[in-house]
Amino acid sequence: MSGFPSHTAVRGLLRLMSNQHLTKLLDVELLIFLITDELGIRHIYDMKVLHAQSRELLRLTCKEIKSFGDLDDHHLKGISDIIFRATREGIVEIVRELLKANPSLVRIKDEKSRTIFSFAVLCRQARIWNSLNGLPRKDQILFGPADGSGNTILHMAATVDTSTQLLHKTSAVFQMQRELQWFKEIERIIPPTMSDDLNFENMRAKEIFTRDHKEMLKEGEQWMKDTATSCTVVGTLIVTIMFALAFTVPGGNNSETGLPVFSKNKLFSLFIISDALSLFSSTTSVLMFLGILRSRYAEEDFLKSLPQKNDNRPFHSFLLYCNHDDGLLCSSLHLLPGQSWMVIPIICLASLPVDLYVFMQFSLLVDMIKSTYGPSIFARK
């Protein structure tokens, strides 16, 4: 049952609780089970209990680790598995508490000789990385070998494998942007000479980045071109309509003076302004989309240039549609004076596409602005 319990269920529960004999048999867990089941929030209660049990298990584990002192190979292997699994899943609380219980665990490695630092970068877990990056005396581990294949931590930032957590719910453009942000962040903190270090394949980190992101680069380019092409077609049509509308004004022209019949009407002035703004917005959008089509689509362009151009697309399109609706409103009021019962439904129907556009594009626009202009996902030290 979802929502609140029925009155019958509540009365039955109260009668059950008023029976002293049965109340003594019910413990707290059973009572909670009945209430949460009736309220339809049993799954929330189960998740809360699981979370509390997990925290208690973590506390007891940390307590045992502190009492061990020097860990033998058996215990070290089990704790290593826990830390690397938590790093892969991005559970920063487990990693933080285990390292707090035994700071020497920061030096552990997995079966591929990867450190926690390099594995956090490989998995693209920013919260884990920020937590580890705040540890003291980390430089020796951070700037040393990242795994058993001669890779540095910059090589790990350039690599994409099964452990890498990509942004699957967004476009390839923003996946590529996030990958570049990781690469630039690691490149910023390492000594400049490490950028030219070779691994056992005689490859630099930049070469690995190009190799592993070749398909992502193609997908991002194709997505940008497809979007720009479709928007260019729509923008060109609206430019044509607005240009023709500027010379075909509502009410026509005066046969004697050649001026528009409603030239002295305030609504006519608003119509002209809306038409001019719509023409300006559509022309700007078309030129902007043509600029996207003519871009180089180099790797570096996906960091700032292309996302910024793409961020402007929803804004110009929204401005274009709003001005178009304003022009339609003014024309309707001119042609149908005093008939608001007809004008209002027309405007409501005309604004429906704008509302749908905003509804569908809003979350994407917010993500794009956060990714390009928002604060960094990395805690700068």
Side-chain angles (χ1 to χ4, degrees), residues 43-53:
H43 64 287
I44 300 178
Y45 172 72
D46 291 340
M47 291 176 62
K48 187 70 176 177
V49 170
L50 182 60
H51 179 70
Q53 292 174 346

Side-chain angles (χ1 to χ4, degrees), residues 119-375:
F119 193 65
V121 173
L122 180 64
C123 296
R124 308 295 192 263
Q125 294 293 351
R127 293 182 62 211
I128 300 289
W129 168 255
N130 292 335
S131 180
L132 294 174
N133 204 25
L135 296 175
R137 300 185 299 275
K138 64 180 185 300
D139 291 355
Q140 184 179 357
I141 306 172
L142 190 61
F143 302 145
D147 63 5
S149 300
N151 292 308
T152 65
I153 195 167
L154 188 60
H155 285 88
M156 307 303 282
T159 301
V160 176
D161 70 1
T162 55
S163 300
T164 306
Q165 305 290 326
L166 297 176
L167 302 175
H168 295 293
K169 294 184 179 181
T170 185
S171 67
V173 175
F174 298 103
Q175 289 183 17
M176 191 69 183
Q177 184 187 42
R178 180 55 55 87
E179 289 293 288
L180 283 166
Q181 289 172 346
W182 269 100
F183 189 82
K184 293 297 183 182
E185 174 66 16
I186 302 303
E187 191 177 44
R188 182 187 68 85
I189 64 175
I190 63 174
T193 55
M194 282 185 65
S195 300
D196 296 324
D197 287 355
L198 302 175
N199 62 6
F200 291 167
E201 297 178 289
N202 290 324
M203 296 186 69
R204 295 180 176 85
K206 186 63 176 176
E207 296 171 340
I208 291 181
F209 187 92
T210 301
R211 181 196 66 187
D212 288 4
H213 294 82
K214 185 179 299 183
E215 291 301 320
M216 189 182 298
L217 183 68
K218 290 181 180 178
E219 292 176 6
E221 179 180 352
Q222 189 62 42
W223 186 86
M224 289 287 291
K225 286 184 175 180
D226 290 344
T227 304
T229 300
S230 59
C231 292
T232 300
V233 173
V234 175
T236 303
L237 289 174
I238 296 179
V239 167
T240 305
I241 295 172
M242 293 296 104
F243 186 79
L245 194 60
F247 296 96
T248 311
V249 295
N253 298 325
N254 190 305
S255 58
E256 297 180 359
T257 62
L259 297 175
V261 174
F262 299 112
S263 59
K264 297 182 179 181
N265 193 302
K266 292 182 179 180
L267 285 175
F268 182 80
S269 300
L270 182 59
F271 166 79
I272 294 297
I273 294 173
S274 299
D275 183 74
L277 289 176
S278 184
L279 182 62
F280 167 76
S281 301
S282 56
T283 305
T284 303
S285 298
V286 170
L287 294 176
M288 182 180 63
F289 296 136
L290 289 176
I292 293 177
L293 291 172
R294 301 286 294 180
S295 297
R296 299 181 306 158
Y297 293 99
E299 290 177 357
E300 298 294 331
D301 292 339
F302 283 87
L303 183 61
K304 287 288 185 181
S305 177
L306 288 174
Q308 286 176 349
K309 291 178 181 178
N310 197 62
D311 290 349
N312 294 328
R313 173 180 58 85
F315 172 75
H316 282 283
S317 299
F318 178 72
L319 184 62
L320 168 63
Y321 297 146
C322 288
N323 291 327
H324 181 269
D325 285 350
D326 289 342
L328 178 61
L329 173 62
C330 296
S331 300
S332 301
L333 292 176
H334 274 304
L335 299 175
L336 302 170
Q339 301 186 46
S340 58
W341 63 270
M342 187 181 298
V343 175
I344 293 177
I346 293 176
I347 299 305
C348 291
L349 291 175
S351 63
L352 184 60
V354 180
D355 298 335
L356 291 175
Y357 179 82
V358 173
F359 177 75
M360 292 186 295
Q361 296 288 322
F362 182 75
S363 60
L364 177 61
L365 179 61
V366 171
D367 291 340
M368 290 190 299
I369 293 176
K370 283 183 179 179
S371 180
T372 307
Y373 303 103

